[in-house]
Amino acid sequence: MRDERLGRVRLLLKRDDLIDPEITGNKWRKLRYNLPEVRTGTILTFGGAYSGHIRAVAAAGRRHGLATIGVIRGEEHLPLNPTLAYARACGMRLAYLDRAAYRLKHTPEVIDRLRAEHGPFDLLPEGGSNAAAVRGCAELPGEITEPYDVICCPVGTGGTLAGIAAGLPPGRRALGFAVLKGGGFLAGEVARLQREAYGEVRGTWDIALDHHFGGYAKVPPELDAFARDFEDRHGLAVERIYVAKMLYGVYAMAASGALAPGTTVVAVITGPAQFSSPVVACASPTGLDSGEARCRR
């Protein structure tokens, strides 16, 4: 990709958003090895009202003949937004947890209550990041045929970076860009996921923490302007919550010298722009994979 703002840093794009039109972005990688492990015939998972993960699980369930339950943070609002309407059209049963209960969704008390309400199910965490997801994402580096030095991805729950780093060939490194404020804990999450998948921490990787633009799902004018300019220059629609922050970070690090001249960077496009959450006058997003309405001031 030619862009004078990158200096002598070469940028290549890995279009994971084009591989599956229904199971959008890189979600199909996370589901690839999770689906065969479903023993109950039902998947229960969590997400916000605009979650791409919820949409992907619903589509995968319909395709593979699995029942799906989406536990949505907050109260039901009718009519359903396009994400939840699509999920329901795929056959997903929608349930809701208030925000206080949602924060405790990982606890045995909440899980037991959900089993009592919905019957047996296999549990898939919010965002889909677990050991099986890591193994799916680890296949990504092997698909890149161009020589490169660094592979980059956005980081929300850590599963994609954990897998990419584990699948790196020798001499390559992975760089994640945290999309949420206070993301220092993500390094521990990536390491934990790799240990669950492989019994050890693998690959050379790091996480840049300074390009979150104020927090998860926040898209201030500076970031939106960067994304619009990128779209105009390169004819590629840019998803704002994850992808734009990664791309902005790559450009900033190229300008500062943190990415040395002559470096070839592969940026993984993990999600399509058309499924970004809507921009509203102001909202207060919470959660990791919510896709809640983001704030433009």
Side-chain angles (χ1 to χ4, degrees):
M1 175 172 291
R2 296 181 181 276
D3 194 321
E4 70 278 2
R5 296 170 298 173
L6 291 167
R8 290 181 52 223
V9 172
R10 184 185 183 213
L11 177 61
L12 307 175
L13 302 181
K14 174 70 169 76
R15 296 294 306 276
D16 253 25
D17 60 317
L18 298 179
I19 294 176
D20 193 308
E22 285 190 313
I23 306 175
T24 56
N26 75 328
K27 300 298 184 183
W28 64 274
R29 291 191 187 275
K30 292 184 174 182
L31 293 171
R32 180 172 184 176
Y33 295 115
N34 268 293
L35 295 178
E37 295 182 359
V38 175
R39 297 292 177 259
T40 63
T42 300
I43 301 172
L44 182 142
T45 195
F46 302 92
Y50 290 91
S51 169
H53 171 67
I54 289 290
R55 180 187 178 96
V57 170
R62 178 177 64 179
R63 181 181 299 178
H64 294 278
L66 298 169
T68 56
I69 303 167
V71 180
I72 310 302
R73 184 182 57 256
E75 294 71 36
E76 182 180 33
H77 294 283
L78 297 176
L80 296 175
N81 69 45
T83 296
L84 297 184
Y86 177 85
R88 178 169 286 177
C90 288
M92 176 175 273
R93 188 189 324 167
L94 299 178
Y96 297 84
L97 285 179
D98 63 61
R99 291 172 184 275
Y102 195 87
R103 285 192 289 270
L104 301 174
K105 63 184 179 296
H106 60 285
T107 63
E109 293 78 11
V110 172
I111 299 303
D112 288 346
R113 192 177 96 196
L114 291 170
R115 292 194 195 281
E117 292 176 2
H118 300 289
F121 57 75
D122 287 80
L123 181 65
L124 189 60
E126 184 178 28
S129 290
N130 57 12
V134 170
R135 292 194 294 272
C137 292
E139 296 176 347
L140 188 152
E143 299 169 6
I144 301 171
T145 57
E146 292 281 337
Y148 68 93
D149 304 294
V150 182
I151 184 168
C152 297
C153 68
V155 181
T157 55
T160 299
L161 178 60
I164 287 173
L168 287 173
R172 309 296 188 270
R173 66 184 178 98
L175 177 61
F177 289 87
V179 302
L180 60 153
K181 189 175 181 179
F185 72 95
L186 287 168
E189 282 296 290
V190 172
R192 178 186 65 80
L193 287 164
Q194 288 190 333
R195 290 190 189 99
E196 287 184 3
Y198 303 108
E200 62 182 0
V201 177
R202 292 188 176 183
T204 301
W205 54 270
D206 196 6
I207 303 177
L209 302 175
D210 298 330
H211 304 288
H212 54 74
F213 284 87
Y216 182 81
K218 291 190 177 180
V219 183
E222 181 184 5
L223 180 62
D224 192 50
F226 167 82
R228 290 178 183 276
D229 181 66
F230 188 95
E231 291 169 340
D232 291 342
R233 287 172 180 252
H234 303 295
L236 170 66
V238 177
E239 188 275 330
R240 300 300 201 260
I241 297 172
Y242 291 89
V243 174
K245 293 179 179 181
M246 170 193 64
L247 291 173
Y248 187 100
V250 170
Y251 276 69
M253 293 179 72
S256 70
L259 289 170
T263 300
T264 297
V265 175
V266 174
V268 180
I269 308 301
T270 54
Q274 63 265 37
F275 297 123
S276 289
S277 63
V279 177
V280 297
C282 190
S284 298
T286 59
L288 230 50
D289 188 52
S290 66
E292 284 190 357
R294 58 193 187 267
C295 186
R296 175 181 288 164
R297 300 184 187 275

